[in-house]
Amino acid sequence: MNNNNQSSSSSSTPSNPTTPSSLNYYHPSPSRTIYSDRFIPCRSASNFALFDISPPPPPPPPSDPARAEDSSSSSAAYTALLRTALFGSDLGFVAPPGTPEKKSFPVNTSPVNRNIFRFKSETKQSLHSLYPFGFDDHSPGVIHSPVKAPRKVPRSPYKVLDAPALQDDFYLNLVDWSSHNMLAVGLGNCVYLWNACSSKVTKLCDLGIDDSVCSVGWAQRGTNLAVGTSNGKVQIWDASRCKRVRTMEGHRLRVGALAWNSSMLSSGSRDKSILQRDPRAQEDFVSKLSGHKSEVCGLKWSYDNRELASGGNDNKLFVWNQHSTQPVLKYCEHTAAVKAIAWSPHLHGLMASGGGTADRCIRFWNTTTNSHLSCMDTGSQVCNLVWSKNVNELVSTHGYSQNQIIVWRYPTMSKLATLTGHTYRVLYLAISPDGQTIVTGAGDETLRFWNVFPSPKSQNTESEIGASSFGRTHIR
């Protein structure tokens, strides 16, 4: 019976909350301010005393007074840190709240507002407001690490050497720096050695008036130096004894590029070929790599000695393995000669290459996945590239039209520094064995030494190489 009455009553008075008549029951107060339909709390004028966040009652005094003092201090610090994390550090609490009738409120605040949260139409937050504990240097218990200032790169070379007869030829490689801190420079038909520790200059060899130096390259270990000549020969010299060890033939034209791996020497020539040589073997070369359609002007072995990258005047970049006679990877994106090649010491398979005047781009490749990663238009002919082994940065040197040296941060490719001083194309580049100093050479017949990279341990440590020696001297 009760069920029937209840059903009858329910059916006789239907209600629909979505009908227009039901909306008439809402009458907004004329004195109430409506901020927005998005409920974003603004805590700056709220009454947080009602939350009753106060230090917990002190525990019974332990037998050890020192332990009691530590416990009380850590509890107070935790409570202060919790209050700061939840409500910010700019709330000037005077005392913890007592009973609901007697409460202590922040000093110098607006009149009491009984709404715990009120709503605001718009809030503008800085990035610091997204930190989990706010951003306040005076927050108790919070230690903020200082913001790291950008590293400053000296804009002037610390040493300049005169290098008479240093050729202004884009396709040659006439400067190299050994693991024993010895700089080799090809000047005309002679090779000179400059000791970076003592600044002593030694004449290593003279090829005679019928020949000239086209490339120099130090072995990864030891004191052997390879010298490529305009007659197509490669000579091996023991720099410690200033004695020629061997002369190897095989090329028909000048040898402008040399690259060592742990045991092999690769030579690239204007005859478009690359010869793989083993100085321990009786033969002049053990294999011949064919693929380029013009002069080979760039050669570089990867750090694991498994891949050889070659660049040519045919605008091609090839990658070879230890046993191939045909390129295993071919990259044709450059639109000018590819002389500048650098492998990353930080990531396996990462390689950078630079194009000549008509290209002006630095491109990055992943040879492991055979992919083109990115491209940066530098605005100038890219002559050389070298990667820092201490930090993930690289240096490029340039020719037409600005003759500049640029330090880049990878992978963002943001410029750390642009160095100027050479008045001709910066065609030659080598890096010191400690990875902090570079030397650049140009057709203005000068070699300039720059401190551009930090040491492995500190970014503020000056290189010991020539750090106290300034001025201009002659290399011969």
Side-chain angles (χ1 to χ4, degrees):
M1 188 73 174
N2 291 335
N3 291 337
N4 293 335
N5 291 338
Q6 189 174 7
S7 174
S8 173
S9 172
S10 174
S11 61
S12 61
T13 59
S15 63
N16 186 354
T18 61
T19 59
S21 59
S22 64
L23 299 178
N24 295 331
Y25 289 104
Y26 174 71
H27 300 284
S29 172
S31 62
R32 181 177 176 182
T33 303
I34 299 177
Y35 289 93
S36 173
D37 59 346
R38 295 187 64 202
F39 305 119
I40 304 174
C42 177
R43 297 171 177 163
S44 60
S46 301
N47 180 10
F48 293 107
L50 296 181
F51 279 97
D52 196 18
I53 294 181
S54 59
S63 57
D64 187 356
R67 184 178 300 173
E69 182 178 351
D70 292 343
S71 176
S72 174
S73 174
S74 62
S75 177
Y78 173 77
T79 303
L81 181 60
L82 179 61
R83 182 187 296 119
T84 301
L86 292 176
F87 310 123
S89 58
D90 57 345
L91 302 176
F93 284 96
V94 176
T99 62
E101 290 77 20
K102 293 184 179 181
K103 298 182 177 64
S104 299
F105 295 98
V107 179
N108 297 329
T109 59
S110 57
V112 177
N113 185 352
R114 292 296 178 181
N115 292 325
I116 301 301
F117 299 103
R118 67 187 183 90
F119 305 107
K120 193 173 181 180
S121 59
E122 182 182 4
T123 58
K124 293 184 178 180
Q125 294 179 322
S126 66
L127 277 177
H128 300 320
S129 67
L130 302 179
Y131 284 76
F133 295 105
F135 191 83
D136 187 357
D137 293 337
H138 304 288
S139 301
V142 180
I143 301 176
H144 298 288
S145 59
V147 178
K148 196 179 222 180
R151 181 167 55 83
K152 293 184 178 180
V153 178
R155 294 305 197 265
S156 301
Y158 69 79
K159 191 175 191 66
V160 179
L161 295 178
D162 283 325
L166 185 61
Q167 295 189 58
D168 183 30
D169 191 328
F170 178 81
Y171 301 99
L172 306 186
N173 292 273
L174 297 175
V175 178
D176 198 21
W177 207 327
S178 79
S179 60
H180 290 273
N181 215 6
M182 191 77 70
L183 189 71
V185 185
L187 300 178
N189 52 12
C190 300
V191 175
Y192 290 87
L193 305 179
W194 181 77
N195 190 314
C197 298
S198 63
S199 296
K200 180 182 177 181
V201 178
T202 303
K203 184 178 180 179
L204 178 67
C205 65
D206 188 337
L207 301 182
I209 58 174
D210 295 329
D211 207 351
S212 62
V213 179
C214 295
S215 55
V216 294
W218 288 101
Q220 292 183 359
R221 296 179 181 85
T223 58
N224 282 348
L225 177 71
V227 179
T229 73
S230 61
N231 289 337
K233 298 179 181 179
V234 175
Q235 299 181 3
I236 306 294
W237 287 77
D238 184 351
S240 63
R241 299 181 296 158
C242 290
K243 183 178 180 180
R244 186 174 62 188
V245 177
R246 185 172 180 180
T247 299
M248 294 178 287
E249 300 183 353
H251 289 297
R252 296 179 290 103
L253 299 173
R254 71 179 184 183
V255 180
L258 295 168
W260 290 83
N261 67 7
S262 55
S263 59
M264 303 284 292
L265 171 63
S266 304
S267 60
S269 170
R270 181 178 269 181
D271 65 10
K272 311 172 189 177
S273 68
I274 300 171
L275 298 182
Q276 302 283 53
R277 308 174 186 270
D278 187 347
R280 302 165 297 181
Q282 184 176 0
E283 298 82 12
D284 284 342
F285 61 93
V286 295
S287 63
K288 181 177 182 179
L289 312 185
S290 301
H292 285 286
K293 304 300 182 184
S294 188
E295 180 171 9
V296 178
C297 51
L299 279 179
K300 196 75 67 175
W301 277 97
S302 62
Y303 280 88
D304 60 4
N305 296 315
R306 294 182 178 180
E307 293 179 301
L308 173 67
S310 65
N313 196 30
D314 54 2
N315 310 344
K316 301 296 190 296
L317 174 67
F318 293 157
V319 178
W320 320 72
N321 62 31
Q322 292 172 306
H323 309 291
S324 65
T325 57
Q326 295 292 321
V328 295
L329 298 175
K330 297 182 179 182
Y331 300 120
C332 307
E333 281 78 358
H334 284 292
T335 58
V338 182
K339 176 190 177 185
I341 302 172
W343 291 91
S344 169
H346 310 288
L347 185 62
H348 175 73
L350 176 59
M351 178 179 61
S353 61
T357 306
D359 183 80
R360 307 174 305 178
C361 292
I362 300 175
R363 297 179 182 270
F364 294 90
W365 318 86
N366 186 332
T367 61
T368 303
T369 60
N370 189 20
S371 57
H372 181 208
L373 301 177
S374 60
C375 176
M376 168 64 68
D377 189 342
T378 67
S380 297
Q381 175 189 45
V382 184
C383 301
N384 292 280
L385 288 168
V386 68
W387 220 298
S388 168
K389 64 181 181 180
N390 301 337
V391 289
N392 202 9
E393 299 170 3
L394 66 159
V395 163
S396 60
T397 69
H398 299 269
Y400 302 125
S401 59
Q402 301 178 41
N403 306 327
Q404 78 274 37
I405 304 159
I406 304 178
V407 184
W408 308 86
R409 178 181 283 117
Y410 187 81
T412 61
M413 289 305 286
S414 57
K415 291 183 183 180
L416 286 175
T418 299
L419 311 176
T420 57
H422 285 290
T423 56
Y424 280 66
R425 298 179 295 174
V426 188
L427 297 177
Y428 311 110
L429 172 67
I431 189 168
S432 64
D434 66 0
Q436 300 181 58
T437 302
I438 61 169
V439 59
T440 57
D444 56 12
E445 300 185 344
T446 63
L447 297 173
R448 297 172 186 263
F449 295 79
W450 317 77
N451 284 322
V452 296
F453 294 130
S455 67
K457 297 181 180 179
S458 171
Q459 294 194 6
N460 297 320
T461 303
E462 268 196 345
S463 169
E464 296 179 359
I465 303 173
S468 60
S469 59
F470 294 83
R472 184 160 177 159
T473 56
H474 291 270
I475 200 170
R476 71 177 188 185

